[in-house]
Amino acid sequence: MEFSDRIMKLASDAERELAPIFADIDKVSFVNTKKVMDAFKEHRVSDAVFAPTSGYGYDDRGREVLDAVWADVMDAEAAFVRHSIVNGTQALTIGLFGLLRPGDIMFSIAGKPYDTLDEVIGNSGEAGNGSLRDFGVDYRQADLFSDGSFDKEAIKRVLDAEGDRVKVIFIQRSKGYLNRKTLSVDAIGEIIAFVRPLCPNAYVVVDNCYGEFTEEREPTAVGADMIIGSLIKNPGGGMAESGGYIAGTARAVELASYRLTSVGCGLEVGATLGQTKSMYKGLFYAPHTTAQALKTAHLAAYIFGSRGLGFDVEPEWNEKRYDIIQSVITHSPEGLCAICRGIQAGSPIDSFVTPEPWEMPGYSDKVIMAAGAFTQGSSIELSADGPLREPYTAYLQGGLTYESGRIGILSAAAEVEKSLEL
Ligand SMILES: *Cc1c(COP(=O)(O)O)cnc(C)c1O
């Protein structure tokens, strides 16, 4: 790979200016690594817990200890982590179906949830498929203001009118595929303090995807009853082969566990089939890997933003981050596709293939995805994707190592420079 002098200069300018920000990211990584290691120590993690189980998986010590470690790291009363949860969407589905009953309301207070939840909620897809709506669960939504803050008046209106039926108050921490701001843990804590007295019996559920370990605390530390995420994002550290987790209050996690397996069986079953070690190792790496991804995102913002190739970017290169996603708003299908081609070409795996837009299950528009990852679809590994719709935003995320992330970003910049003749 050869990069133009202009791009090489941009990268070195970026790194000089980003040095203090990178130092702060390292501090967060240190705090979170210590939290993980303290939990390993507290729960006496030894190589015996890596032993696989099969069949029912009764008395799987590795599984039980990992759940306890995970709960500690997330400042939660309880947690479960399973390699058998296929993705973040399934983990969210387990959590929502675990808590919601016919006649209840799910109230999303941070705008529209992630695209793949539309069919789960019943806001799209065929009636009769078994969505929450099919089971008599209603849905309400309050949008965020354009500056990313909560619309407290709109939230209060719904809670005043129907608060007795609201069982889940749902907050998506990360922007996902929307042009909005990602919420900080502080902002989540503040809004929980606001809604709690208005609706004391509801569970506050946070879609925590992409947020883990970007800050020193998770939403469970500021009052969330349940947080949910995917192991092929931040908390799997690039090591977990697949999986998802739920952490939260003892009762909320117990209810979710009955949806994970069955009412009664809960967390007492579930063979680990030899996947335990990679989940422990992933958690061990996760704070560091997340830091690598954050640094890669800052670099991307600098290179694609106003100091570099001139796109609108969110967040800006010098803004504090609460997730690992970097949006680059390209305003053209060509721009979006060029970024994805460049990321793919700058990946360790499948660097020779060319990504094309496709109809991905669960998404309403065509999506283009660049992913040259060791683990299929892993987005803690450097990846870029975006739906083919206005304003053609590329969502970049991940980077197992800053060095490889940097190569990927420079490759994307080179492809954009060439394709758009910038
Ligand atoms: C990734 C993600 C999900 C879940 O997506 P999967 O592809 O099913 O893992 C949900 N919410 C947000 C905000 C996400 O980023």
Side-chain angles (χ1 to χ4, degrees), residues 86-90 92 113-117 172-177 207-210 230 232-233 325 360 363 379:
V86 301
N87 56 18
T89 304
Q90 191 196 358
L92 286 155
Y114 197 68
D115 283 21
T116 59
L117 290 183
Q172 182 178 304
R173 178 174 175 184
S174 165
K175 66 170 86 67
Y177 276 167
D207 175 351
N208 208 30
C209 283
Y210 285 132
S230 161
I232 60 171
K233 295 179 180 173
I325 303 179
M360 197 182 166
Y363 294 85
S379 46

